[in-house]
Amino acid sequence: MKYHGFYFNLFKYPMKKVLLENYGHDYAREVIKKSKIVYRKLIEEADDIGDDNPMAYNEMFALAFVAPYIASEKSIPPEIVQEMMRRALYSLRWFFSLTDLNTKRGKKANKKNILKYYKWYTEEKEKLYPTSFKVDFEGEPYEGACYYRITRCPICAYTEKLGVAELMPLFCELDELMISLQHGVLHRKDTIANGADCCDYFITGDRE
């Protein structure tokens, strides 16, 4: 993929703060410094899924947290990486809270990006980027539901290739947190990371 440092720079402070609290200033500074180099390498060596891919940000987001884990040679346990992720999301809670999944407008906004991607990933695009996300709406619980499912996930495939698949379930858990910040609830049966055929997203408001 084409390198963009936006997400690493966005989350650098909350990641460093968690490291400071657990390991001290020198270690935190060293890991973050190495992580920036590792992050660039991770992005550039990832499968090309298209510079204009509407869902590419998901992988760039996730790799920002894979970077310190690899930079530390896995001396940082997954639980600490998970805390980094949580702090990063909470640092943006003002942004996520702008969407209220209890309203029709909020549900429409939530589904807008996935619909944009669904239309973008044509048969021609799939030939160009065969490892990108695969999305469908099969099994929709009821008409009008904020529902979709992912049947191919490049993040999951890449973490396995990198030997850090143990982080993948943590990324899946982040979906629940992010949706809760949007006043919603994720009702999920399973994930690709757990060996299922798909990651299902069935979302309702938290007051429904």
Side-chain angles (χ1 to χ4, degrees):
M1 289 196 297
K2 184 178 179 181
Y3 173 72
H4 298 283
F6 174 77
Y7 289 101
F8 183 83
N9 291 327
L10 181 64
F11 300 135
K12 181 170 66 175
Y13 177 73
M15 289 195 297
K16 187 175 182 179
K17 188 172 182 180
V18 172
L19 291 175
L20 277 167
E21 293 171 0
N22 288 275
Y23 303 103
H25 180 270
D26 291 344
Y27 185 81
R29 182 177 61 182
E30 180 184 359
V31 169
I32 291 299
K33 184 178 179 179
K34 289 181 179 178
S35 298
K36 187 174 183 179
I37 298 170
V38 171
Y39 181 69
R40 183 172 194 129
K41 187 173 185 288
L42 290 174
I43 295 294
E44 291 179 342
E45 293 183 359
D47 285 351
D48 182 12
I49 59 175
D51 290 341
D52 60 337
N53 187 322
M55 287 185 68
Y57 73 93
N58 288 283
E59 188 163 3
M60 293 182 181
F61 176 103
L63 291 176
F65 303 101
V66 172
Y69 188 58
I70 292 178
S72 73
E73 298 180 349
K74 296 188 179 184
S75 65
I76 301 172
E79 293 78 14
I80 297 297
V81 178
Q82 184 178 43
E83 182 60 22
M84 290 180 183
M85 298 176 192
R86 287 175 176 164
R87 296 279 188 95
L89 280 184
Y90 276 118
S91 72
L92 297 175
R93 62 186 178 276
W94 62 269
F95 173 76
F96 291 114
S97 66
L98 296 176
T99 299
D100 187 345
L101 292 170
N102 293 288
T103 66
K104 289 182 178 180
R105 181 179 180 181
K107 290 177 182 179
K108 184 177 180 180
N110 179 262
K111 205 168 183 177
K112 184 178 180 180
N113 286 337
I114 206 69
L115 285 170
K116 183 179 179 181
Y117 178 76
Y118 184 74
K119 293 175 182 178
W120 178 86
Y121 200 50
T122 60
E123 290 184 7
E124 182 180 353
K125 288 285 176 64
E126 186 165 12
K127 289 177 182 177
L128 289 171
Y129 313 116
T131 61
S132 187
F133 297 92
K134 187 77 172 179
V135 177
D136 65 42
F137 301 93
E138 294 181 17
E140 185 169 354
Y142 56 82
E143 187 177 353
C146 186
Y147 173 86
Y148 59 92
R149 64 179 200 162
I150 295 175
T151 58
R152 184 172 64 228
C153 175
I155 306 172
C156 193
Y158 198 25
T159 55
E160 288 182 5
K161 181 180 177 181
L162 293 167
V164 295
E166 61 271 22
L167 294 182
M168 197 61 215
L170 307 183
F171 294 133
C172 298
E173 288 180 18
L174 276 191
D175 292 332
E176 297 181 24
L177 175 57
M178 182 179 68
I179 290 168
S180 73
L181 294 175
Q182 296 175 311
H183 315 288
V185 179
L186 173 61
H187 307 273
R188 167 171 280 167
K189 292 181 180 179
D190 217 334
T191 64
I192 295 172
N194 286 335
D197 293 332
C198 71
C199 300
D200 57 317
Y201 290 77
F202 175 30
I203 304 163
T204 62
D206 59 11
R207 296 195 299 273
E208 293 182 13

Coordinates of all heavy atoms in Angstrom, one line a residue, residues 2-3 13-14 20 23 39 43 53 60 64-65 71 75 105 131 136 141 147 154 160 168 191 194 196 203 205:
K2 N 0.3 2.3 -0.5 CA 1.0 3.6 -0.4 C 1.0 4.1 1.0 O 0.0 4.1 1.7 CB 0.3 4.6 -1.3 CG 1.0 5.9 -1.5 CD 0.3 6.8 -2.4 CE 1.0 8.2 -2.6 NZ 0.3 9.1 -3.5
Y3 N 2.2 4.6 1.4 CA 2.4 5.0 2.8 C 1.7 6.3 3.1 O 1.8 7.3 2.4 CB 3.9 5.1 3.2 CG 4.1 5.7 4.5 CD1 3.9 4.9 5.7 CD2 4.6 7.0 4.7 CE1 4.1 5.5 6.9 CE2 4.8 7.5 5.9 CZ 4.5 6.8 7.1 OH 4.7 7.3 8.3
Y13 N 0.4 9.8 20.6 CA 0.4 10.3 21.9 C -0.3 9.3 22.9 O 0.3 9.0 23.9 CB -0.3 11.6 22.0 CG -0.4 12.2 23.4 CD1 0.7 12.6 24.1 CD2 -1.6 12.2 24.1 CE1 0.6 13.1 25.4 CE2 -1.7 12.6 25.4 CZ -0.6 13.0 26.0 OH -0.7 13.5 27.3
P14 N -1.5 8.8 22.6 CA -2.2 7.9 23.5 C -1.4 6.6 23.6 O -1.3 6.0 24.7 CB -3.6 7.6 22.9 CG -3.5 8.2 21.6 CD -2.5 9.2 21.5
L20 N 4.4 4.9 28.8 CA 4.9 5.6 29.9 C 4.5 5.1 31.2 O 5.2 4.9 32.2 CB 4.6 7.1 29.7 CG 5.5 8.0 28.8 CD1 4.8 9.3 28.6 CD2 6.9 8.2 29.5
Y23 N 6.0 1.3 31.5 CA 7.4 1.0 31.3 C 8.3 2.2 31.6 O 9.6 2.0 31.6 CB 7.6 0.4 29.9 CG 6.8 -0.8 29.6 CD1 5.7 -0.7 28.8 CD2 7.1 -2.0 30.2 CE1 4.9 -1.8 28.5 CE2 6.3 -3.1 29.9 CZ 5.2 -3.0 29.0 OH 4.4 -4.1 28.8
Y39 N 6.1 1.0 11.2 CA 4.7 1.3 10.7 C 4.9 1.5 9.2 O 4.1 1.0 8.4 CB 4.1 2.5 11.4 CG 2.7 2.8 10.8 CD1 1.7 2.0 11.0 CD2 2.5 4.0 10.1 CE1 0.4 2.3 10.6 CE2 1.3 4.3 9.6 CZ 0.2 3.5 9.8 OH -1.0 3.8 9.4
I43 N 3.1 -0.8 6.2 CA 2.2 -0.2 5.2 C 2.7 -0.5 3.8 O 2.0 -1.0 2.9 CB 2.0 1.3 5.3 CG1 1.3 1.6 6.7 CG2 1.3 1.9 4.2 CD1 -0.1 1.1 6.8
N53 N -9.2 3.1 -2.2 CA -10.1 2.2 -1.5 C -10.7 2.8 -0.3 O -10.0 3.3 0.7 CB -9.2 1.0 -1.0 CG -10.0 -0.2 -0.5 OD1 -11.0 0.0 0.2 ND2 -9.6 -1.4 -0.7
M60 N -4.8 0.7 7.8 CA -3.8 1.7 8.3 C -4.0 1.9 9.8 O -3.1 2.1 10.5 CB -3.9 2.9 7.5 CG -3.5 2.8 6.0 SD -3.6 4.3 5.1 CE -3.1 3.8 3.5
A64 N -1.2 0.7 12.9 CA -0.6 1.6 13.9 C -0.4 1.0 15.2 O 0.6 1.3 15.9 CB -1.5 2.9 14.0
F65 N -1.2 0.0 15.6 CA -1.0 -0.7 16.9 C -0.2 -2.0 16.7 O 0.4 -2.5 17.7 CB -2.4 -1.0 17.5 CG -3.2 0.2 17.6 CD1 -4.2 0.5 16.7 CD2 -3.0 1.1 18.7 CE1 -5.0 1.7 16.9 CE2 -3.7 2.3 18.8 CZ -4.7 2.6 17.9
A71 N 7.8 -3.7 17.0 CA 8.9 -2.9 17.4 C 9.5 -3.3 18.7 O 10.7 -3.2 19.0 CB 8.6 -1.4 17.4
S75 N 7.6 -7.8 23.4 CA 7.8 -7.7 24.8 C 6.6 -7.0 25.5 O 6.4 -7.1 26.7 CB 9.1 -7.0 25.1 OG 9.1 -5.7 24.7
R105 N -31.1 8.8 10.9 CA -30.0 9.6 10.3 C -28.6 8.9 10.7 O -27.7 8.8 9.9 CB -30.0 11.0 10.8 CG -28.9 11.9 10.2 CD -29.1 13.3 10.7 NE -28.0 14.2 10.1 CZ -27.9 15.5 10.4 NH1 -28.8 16.1 11.2 NH2 -26.9 16.2 9.9
T131 N -7.2 -9.3 -2.8 CA -7.1 -9.6 -1.4 C -7.8 -8.5 -0.5 O -7.7 -8.6 0.7 CB -5.6 -9.7 -0.9 OG1 -4.9 -8.5 -1.2 CG2 -4.9 -10.8 -1.7
D136 N -20.8 -8.2 1.9 CA -22.1 -8.5 1.3 C -23.2 -8.2 2.4 O -22.8 -7.9 3.5 CB -22.3 -9.9 0.7 CG -22.1 -11.0 1.8 OD1 -22.7 -10.9 2.9 OD2 -21.5 -12.0 1.5
P141 N -31.0 -9.5 9.0 CA -32.0 -9.9 10.0 C -33.4 -9.3 9.7 O -34.4 -10.0 9.9 CB -31.5 -9.3 11.3 CG -30.0 -9.2 11.1 CD -29.9 -8.8 9.7
Y147 N -27.0 -3.5 8.9 CA -26.4 -4.8 8.8 C -25.5 -5.0 7.6 O -25.8 -4.5 6.5 CB -27.5 -5.9 8.8 CG -27.0 -7.3 8.6 CD1 -26.5 -8.0 9.7 CD2 -26.9 -7.8 7.3 CE1 -26.0 -9.3 9.5 CE2 -26.4 -9.1 7.1 CZ -26.0 -9.9 8.2 OH -25.5 -11.1 8.0
P154 N -8.4 -8.4 4.8 CA -6.9 -8.3 4.6 C -6.1 -8.1 5.9 O -4.9 -8.4 5.9 CB -6.7 -7.1 3.6 CG -8.0 -6.3 3.8 CD -9.1 -7.3 4.1
E160 N -1.7 -12.7 10.3 CA -1.3 -14.1 10.3 C 0.1 -14.2 9.6 O 1.0 -14.9 10.0 CB -2.3 -14.9 9.5 CG -3.6 -15.1 10.3 CD -4.6 -16.1 9.6 OE1 -4.2 -16.6 8.6 OE2 -5.7 -16.2 10.1
M168 N -5.4 -10.0 16.5 CA -6.6 -9.8 15.7 C -7.9 -9.8 16.5 O -8.8 -8.9 16.2 CB -6.6 -10.9 14.6 CG -7.6 -10.5 13.4 SD -7.1 -9.0 12.6 CE -8.8 -8.4 12.2
T191 N -16.4 -14.0 14.2 CA -15.5 -13.3 13.4 C -14.6 -14.2 12.6 O -14.4 -15.4 13.0 CB -14.6 -12.4 14.3 OG1 -13.8 -13.2 15.1 CG2 -15.4 -11.4 15.1
N194 N -11.7 -15.6 14.6 CA -12.1 -16.8 15.4 C -12.3 -18.1 14.5 O -12.6 -19.1 15.0 CB -13.3 -16.6 16.2 CG -13.0 -15.7 17.4 OD1 -11.9 -15.5 17.9 ND2 -14.1 -15.0 17.8
A196 N -14.4 -18.2 11.8 CA -15.7 -18.2 11.1 C -15.6 -17.8 9.7 O -14.5 -17.2 9.2 CB -16.7 -17.2 11.9
I203 N -26.2 -3.9 13.9 CA -26.1 -2.8 14.8 C -27.4 -2.2 15.1 O -28.2 -1.9 14.2 CB -25.1 -1.7 14.2 CG1 -23.8 -2.4 13.9 CG2 -24.9 -0.6 15.2 CD1 -22.9 -1.5 13.0
G205 N -29.4 0.8 18.1 CA -29.1 1.8 19.0 C -29.1 1.3 20.4 O -29.7 0.3 20.7

